[in-house]
């Protein structure tokens, strides 16, 4: 149980184009999903929190107009990197929260999407 | 001071060794603790979840929490080359709503188990 998928797993695009990454919780409903960015040999950096049916909450320093997040259903959140530039090249990972009431956060992660912007 | 401190390693051990991975934290509001394993170019995989002081065992893995010292550990017995990965500790306060409440991660410890 608690499987999270991400698509695509790898994408290469030209500078200036937009890229959409999908995150799905396959066997549970996730009212909250999180988007992270990870640089090589570094830990996860939280970009934004996505709540189903409402606007995403972005971390300080993350441009909301550049990283568009949509959480249209309880099992799907999307991250769109608009007008991508080479510095946006990174490993993007989503997680879905399996909210167990009083127990606190348990997050399950997707396999990640490696974005390379040429 | 970071909220969660974790030695980045790398930690290199021979196959069969007992591995000890540790994190310290400063926020006493943290009540729930997790260990994730991340292989290169993959998403983190949840290994252990604990919410009380003491030990929790699952196969070759034992998670230990000492809330009075704000110190958590993950022990791996009979380590295998397949255990070579980065291990991330994570923690959170209690969540009573579905609002914005993310995990706070350690920086990760890279473990290499030599055959």
């Amino acid at each position: 149980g608690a499987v999270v998928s991400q698509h695509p797993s790898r994408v290469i695009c030209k500078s200036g184009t937009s890229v959409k990454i999908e995150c799905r919780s396959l066997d549970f409903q996730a009212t909250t999903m999180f988007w992270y960015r990870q640089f090589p040999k570094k830990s996860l950096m939280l970009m934004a929190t996505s709540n189903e049916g409402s606007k995403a909450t972005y971390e300080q320093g993350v441009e909301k107009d550049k990283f568009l997040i949509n959480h249209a259903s309880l099992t799907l959140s999307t991250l769109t990197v608009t007008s991508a530039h080479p510095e946006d090249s990174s490993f993007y990972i989503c997680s879905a929260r399996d909210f167990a009431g009083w127990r606190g956060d348990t997050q399950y992660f997707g396999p990640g999407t490696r974005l390379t912007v040429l | 001071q970071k909220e969660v401190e974790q030695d980045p390693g790398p930690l290199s051990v021979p196959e069969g060794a007992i591995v000890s991975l540790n994190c310290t934290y400063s926020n006493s509001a943290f009540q729930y603790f997790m260990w994730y394993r991340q292989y290169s170019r993959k998403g983190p995989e949840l290994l252990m979840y604990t919410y009380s002081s003491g030990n929790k065992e699952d196969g070759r893995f034992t998670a230990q929490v000492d809330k009075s010292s704000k110190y958590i550990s993950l022990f791996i017995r009979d380590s295998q080359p397949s255990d070579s990965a980065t291990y991330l500790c994570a923690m959170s306060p209690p969540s009573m709503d579905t609002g914005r409440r993310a995990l706070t991660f350690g920086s990760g410890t890279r473990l290499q188990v030599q055959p």
Side-chain angles (χ1 to χ4, degrees):
Chain A
V3 177
V4 176
S5 71
Q6 251 181 274
H7 178 79
S9 59
R10 189 181 184 112
V11 59
I12 300 172
C13 69
K14 292 182 179 179
S15 186
T17 60
S18 294
V19 175
K20 180 186 281 189
I21 303 170
E22 291 186 350
C23 178
R24 293 181 186 272
S25 57
L26 297 185
D27 52 1
F28 66 100
Q29 293 182 331
T31 55
T32 304
M33 291 183 173
F34 302 90
W35 287 95
Y36 295 84
R37 186 172 179 175
Q38 188 175 37
F39 293 102
K41 299 185 179 181
K42 299 292 184 183
S43 190
L44 300 161
M45 182 187 79
L46 179 66
M47 298 175 65
T49 302
S50 169
N51 290 303
E52 186 265 339
S54 65
K55 290 183 179 180
T57 303
Y58 291 82
E59 294 300 300
Q60 191 173 9
V62 178
E63 298 177 58
K64 62 180 181 181
D65 294 330
K66 181 166 187 62
F67 299 100
L68 299 178
I69 291 172
N70 183 276
H71 193 159
S73 78
L74 288 173
T75 58
L76 173 64
S77 176
T78 60
L79 168 69
T80 301
V81 183
T82 62
S83 186
H85 289 281
E87 57 266 29
D88 298 324
S89 298
S90 191
F91 193 50
Y92 292 87
I93 310 175
C94 72
S95 72
R97 174 200 251 169
D98 185 3
F99 180 60
W102 59 271
R103 288 197 302 166
D105 282 317
T106 301
Q107 291 183 31
Y108 295 92
F109 286 83
T113 297
R114 183 159 302 282
L115 171 63
T116 302
V117 185
L118 302 177
Chain B
Q1 181 190 7
K2 290 182 182 177
E3 279 192 296
V4 179
E5 298 278 358
Q6 185 176 8
D7 188 333
L11 176 63
S12 183
V13 301
E15 183 175 356
I18 296 175
V19 176
S20 173
L21 304 166
N22 311 295
C23 288
T24 59
Y25 62 96
S26 57
N27 188 345
S28 58
F30 291 143
Q31 296 293 319
Y32 301 97
F33 306 91
M34 282 137 274
W35 285 95
Y36 288 86
R37 176 176 62 194
Q38 186 177 23
Y39 291 112
S40 181
R41 299 173 183 255
K42 301 290 185 184
E45 169 195 8
L46 180 65
L47 278 179
M48 300 286 284
Y49 173 95
T50 60
Y51 56 89
S52 58
S53 284
N55 294 351
K56 180 178 180 180
E57 191 173 316
D58 185 0
R60 295 186 296 113
F61 299 93
T62 299
Q64 187 176 79
V65 174
D66 183 346
K67 291 184 180 178
S68 62
S69 302
K70 296 189 179 66
Y71 187 89
I72 68 170
S73 299
L74 177 70
F75 298 98
I76 307 174
R77 289 185 299 280
D78 187 25
S79 56
Q80 304 294 310
S82 59
D83 294 327
S84 298
T86 295
Y87 290 80
L88 298 152
C89 65
M91 46 199 78
S92 81
S95 296
M96 295 302 294
D97 56 54
T98 56
R100 178 188 172 277
R101 186 83 76 178
L103 293 174
T104 300
F105 284 91
S107 56
T109 299
R110 281 196 297 135
L111 171 66
Q112 297 170 348
V113 181
Q114 307 294 338

